[in-house]
Amino acid sequence: MSGLPKQGTEAGGDLGNEVEGYLLWQARIAEAERRAREFADTLDWLTTAQREEVERRHTADGLRRARADLERVAARCVSLRAEYERRYQVLRRRCLAVVLAVCACCTALTALLLAL
């Protein structure tokens, strides 16, 4: 996710985004740990060491999946941004062409009326 372009327009914009990302990831870690504990609690026959290992592996798997999901979303955001920027450029060119055509028509009409 570090490959994303940063968009903070003010001095603290990037820092704010980083803090928000950090806090969201910490919440994701806490959620993965909670789910791992709940999963391990259903296996009441595990020893303490086994329970800890199951929780650790379950948490690691959940975080690996979460990271993969976030990377897919970030890549999609980048591709959508590029697509919208291309469409915006096309729209700007079309609008400019219409404005120039209208100006040319107005100029031609004015010249025609002045000639009469």
Side-chain angles (χ1 to χ4, degrees):
M1 289 185 22
S2 61
L4 290 176
K6 297 184 178 182
Q7 296 184 1
T9 55
E10 54 195 45
D14 292 339
L15 178 61
N17 289 338
E18 288 184 30
V19 169
E20 181 182 14
Y22 173 79
L23 292 175
L24 288 171
W25 188 249
Q26 292 303 310
R28 178 67 73 167
I29 291 171
E31 175 68 17
E33 289 171 346
R34 183 189 62 79
R35 289 177 146 208
R37 259 190 315 279
E38 289 175 357
F39 176 74
D41 286 344
T42 63
L43 307 172
D44 54 356
W45 46 268
L46 292 174
T47 65
T48 303
Q50 290 172 331
R51 179 180 306 276
E52 289 172 358
E53 180 66 15
V54 167
E55 286 180 12
R56 187 188 64 75
R57 287 183 183 221
H58 196 281
T59 300
D61 182 58
L63 293 176
R64 187 173 45 255
R65 289 174 189 240
R67 182 175 182 85
D69 290 344
L70 289 173
E71 288 173 351
R72 275 194 302 275
V73 168
R76 180 67 177 142
C77 287
V78 169
S79 70
L80 282 175
R81 180 184 181 117
E83 181 180 338
Y84 286 135
E85 285 177 353
R86 282 191 303 272
R87 288 184 181 188
Y88 179 70
Q89 291 295 327
V90 169
L91 180 61
R92 279 183 31 181
R93 284 188 206 113
R94 286 181 185 168
C95 288
L96 180 62
V98 168
V99 167
L100 291 176
V102 168
C103 288
C105 288
C106 289
T107 302
L109 185 61
T110 302
L112 182 64
L113 289 176
L114 288 176
L116 295 177

